[in-house]
Amino acid sequence: MIKRVILFCCLILVAAIANATDSCNECHGNRQRMESLGAGGFTVTRLETEAQTHMPVTCSECHLGNPDATEKNKAHAGLARLLVVSKKGLAVITSARRYPLAYDTNPMNRMFPVTGKNGKQVRDASVAAISWHDKKIDTLSQDFEVMRRTCGACHQKEFDEFSKSTMATNGKQSQYKGWISKDRGPHNCGPWFEGNLESMQANTMLPMSPESNRINQKVCNSCHVGCLDCHYKPQKINPADPNSGPHTFMKTPPSESCYGNGRASICHAGPEDRRRGAGYFGGSFSFPEGNDPDVHLKAKVGCLDCHESSKSNLSIGHGMVKRQAQDSCKRCHADVVKTHATTIHRNLSCEACHIQRVAGYQGTYWGPGYIAGAATPYFKYKAYYGYMPGPVLIRDQSGRWIPVKPFPMAVMNQKTSPFKPGLYWRYPLGLPDLKRTDDAWGYVGLFGNLPENNNALLWIQMDKVSHKLGKSRSCDSCHETTDGSQMQKVTWEYSDPGAFTFNGSHEVLANRNGLYIKGMQSEKIELEKGYALSALAPWVYLKDAWQIQGDFSLPVIIDRGKYDLLKNNHDSSKKFGLIHK
């Protein structure tokens, strides 16, 4: 008993000494002092941070700085702090903030910087984005040295594994070395600009400044993750819950963290709800806003419940997440998976039937424009947002039918192209699951006949859509035509820079002869000053150029009479082995 008392007293003494020499706690833990400095909103006590982080660490162990110094500038020297990114040049704002982050109820933009205006706190309109302190101020990319000294100091194994992961190394996107990368082809997200300026300039008909190249890369970097993007979940202080606040951490990353955790449409929100148009969350994350979410969201099935990670398989390595998740379906739907394998539709992926109404990009064009105030030959005119009633089905590399959303793409002012027209796969089938995707693309050609921005490299983006699972599509949505052709009528609205908002439409036709994007039309386009129509809407001049050859038709129904009898009778369809039980 005496030993326990002595030990307890020693711990109190150690804590007292630590607090006595910790200028962070002396200042930020004293509300009266912080308010006298005009920074009352940044008051936080050691007890609050420990309750929210669930970690017995000091301020400096996470934020660095100099806790032994008593003078503000010296104590803040080398401090790792929130990165507030300006719209101008995407530069980090280094001046001290007067207010902490504010919080809203919109899950896509639930946190944002504020500034003072007319005595009130309002959203800071000069800010383009916010990022955490494990990113570099100059590039917005991951700062592995800061991670090593902070998170990695206590979690060395996890840091070592994460630093080698696909997410940490930007392992997928960095493989796109330019628009004419032979291994991967051109991509909707654009190329990896860092380290590729010279080679890209050699094939670009317009000058590309190092500054515009650097800013383009910053846009890429803002989506790629550090430790805090997954495990840090700041939120409004809740007096009833001491675990909630601006220092809240989550051991297992919540699904929201995969979607940027309330910092706009970044991380997987961009590829899923914007580009593929069939995201998990939908709702406010979808473009146009309000598309249906995945049925599993309501059932509270999270990303890591389906996608294998170190949570379910320690050997996979911290920070690695297996993209392919089809094997996880049988954990909850064992009978369905078993009976599906015996049906005539056994070569269809689950998503092929259970995804409808895909939103997001319905066209994207890279041409001259301005990004963060700098002129660039590569601005992404992406806001052709709209709906395709259902995805188009194509055979993947193993012969399985998968759903894709074909949409037209172009990058202007290219000198040459090494590709031949046709269908390509981003990654070969032989690669392990952790290193490949099931995404396809179709090369169209290099086209002229534009008034400017000639030599437009055209392709059809065909990413596999995997989320937004729900009620199965109807039989007629695939088999209404007698020749197996697929037709989807697409409507969209353009709302990016360069022109006043306008509406338009096109059709996607897939048949035994090829894949075609045809009938592109819109309202009259009114350009903004300084923009060319060929940069943001080259389809006006190129019309129906987006097409590739190949058999993209579905199997033809031989006995249409039997089909008509069974298509609306699920019990009979199950009995005859047409659909799963």
Side-chain angles (χ1 to χ4, degrees), residues 253-274:
S255 297
E256 292 84 359
S257 72
C258 301
Y259 259 51
N261 227 341
R263 291 178 293 135
S265 180
I266 58 174
C267 300
H268 292 285
E272 295 302 331
D273 266 300
R274 276 191 191 242

Side-chain angles (χ1 to χ4, degrees), residues 162-382:
F162 169 73
S163 62
K164 300 179 182 68
S165 71
T166 301
M167 285 195 288
T169 59
N170 310 317
K172 288 288 192 299
Q173 189 60 32
S174 61
Q175 294 186 41
Y176 297 92
K177 303 296 183 183
W179 301 105
I180 56 172
S181 171
K182 291 183 179 180
D183 291 336
R184 302 289 176 255
H187 196 281
N188 172 271
C189 279
W192 194 250
F193 291 88
E194 183 180 0
N196 296 310
L197 172 60
E198 186 175 337
S199 60
M200 288 179 61
Q201 180 63 85
N203 199 56
T204 303
M205 298 174 70
L206 296 179
M208 185 175 184
S209 70
E211 174 67 4
S212 68
N213 185 78
R214 186 179 67 84
I215 292 177
N216 272 112
Q217 182 61 40
K218 275 188 170 185
V219 175
C220 298
N221 292 344
S222 66
C223 273
H224 296 287
V225 301
C227 304
L228 298 176
D229 291 288
C230 293
H231 294 283
Y232 179 43
K233 189 179 181 180
Q235 49 199 286
K236 190 175 182 179
I237 292 175
N238 181 358
D241 181 7
N243 297 316
S244 297
H247 288 88
T248 298
F249 273 75
M250 308 292 285
K251 181 178 180 180
T252 298
S255 297
E256 292 84 359
S257 72
C258 301
Y259 259 51
N261 227 341
R263 291 178 293 135
S265 180
I266 58 174
C267 300
H268 292 285
E272 295 302 331
D273 266 300
R274 276 191 191 242
R275 191 172 81 230
R276 300 172 196 270
Y280 178 76
F281 278 97
S284 63
F285 285 99
S286 65
F287 296 81
E289 186 175 352
N291 200 20
D292 292 336
D294 193 295
V295 68
H296 295 93
L297 180 66
K298 187 176 181 180
K300 297 183 179 180
V301 177
C303 301
L304 299 183
D305 293 325
C306 293
H307 293 276
E308 191 177 41
S309 68
S310 57
K311 175 189 176 184
S312 51
N313 181 359
L314 289 175
S315 66
I316 206 171
H318 197 80
M320 289 294 291
V321 178
K322 187 176 179 180
R323 180 186 293 262
Q324 288 75 18
Q326 59 266 24
D327 291 340
S328 64
C329 297
K330 59 188 176 186
R331 290 206 298 267
C332 297
H333 307 286
D335 290 341
V336 170
V337 172
K338 184 178 179 179
T339 58
H340 175 69
T342 66
T343 69
I344 195 172
H345 290 101
R346 56 186 171 273
N347 285 331
L348 267 71
S349 67
C350 300
E351 310 91 90
C353 280
H354 287 279
I355 293 177
Q356 301 185 70
R357 198 168 183 252
V358 288
Y361 302 151
Q362 304 297 343
T364 300
Y365 310 100
W366 288 79
Y370 302 88
I371 183 165
T376 176
Y378 297 128
F379 179 81
K380 184 179 182 181
Y381 297 96
K382 62 185 182 296

Side-chain angles (χ1 to χ4, degrees), residues 55 62 131-135 141-165 167-168 224-234 248-254 257-258 261 263 267 318-319:
M55 294 180 282
C62 288
S131 194
W132 309 132
H133 67 252
D134 54 359
K135 302 293 177 64
S141 188
Q142 299 99 325
D143 193 329
F144 287 101
E145 178 58 18
V146 167
M147 286 187 228
R148 183 189 65 78
R149 295 173 60 194
T150 55
C151 301
C154 294
H155 307 284
Q156 183 175 343
K157 179 178 180 292
E158 288 80 2
F159 168 72
D160 290 342
E161 291 177 350
F162 169 73
S163 62
K164 300 179 182 68
S165 71
M167 285 195 288
H224 296 287
V225 301
C227 304
L228 298 176
D229 291 288
C230 293
H231 294 283
Y232 179 43
K233 189 179 181 180
T248 298
F249 273 75
M250 308 292 285
K251 181 178 180 180
T252 298
S257 72
C258 301
N261 227 341
R263 291 178 293 135
C267 300
H318 197 80

Side-chain angles (χ1 to χ4, degrees), residues 12 24 84 91 111 139 175 233 242 305 314 344-345 349 383 421 512 559 566:
I12 292 176
C24 308
V84 180
M111 66 184 84
T139 65
Q175 294 186 41
K233 189 179 181 180
D305 293 325
L314 289 175
I344 195 172
H345 290 101
S349 67
R512 66 187 60 180
D559 190 340
L566 293 175

Side-chain angles (χ1 to χ4, degrees), residues 380-397:
K380 184 179 182 181
Y381 297 96
K382 62 185 182 296
Y384 282 85
Y385 295 130
Y387 289 105
M388 180 184 290
V392 171
L393 305 186
I394 66 172
R395 292 185 182 91
D396 69 8
Q397 297 176 86

Side-chain angles (χ1 to χ4, degrees), residues 42 82-85 87 93 97-116 120-132 232 234-236 246 260-264:
F42 295 97
L82 174 77
L83 272 57
V84 180
V85 184
K87 290 179 179 178
I93 300 172
R97 290 183 296 128
R98 291 181 58 197
Y99 309 103
L101 291 177
Y103 300 90
D104 199 355
T105 56
N106 186 325
M108 189 175 79
N109 294 291
R110 69 175 185 84
M111 66 184 84
F112 50 90
V114 296
T115 186
K120 297 181 179 179
Q121 294 183 26
V122 297
R123 186 187 293 261
D124 193 337
S126 69
V127 174
I130 56 175
S131 194
W132 309 132
Y232 179 43
Q235 49 199 286
K236 190 175 182 179
N261 227 341
R263 291 178 293 135

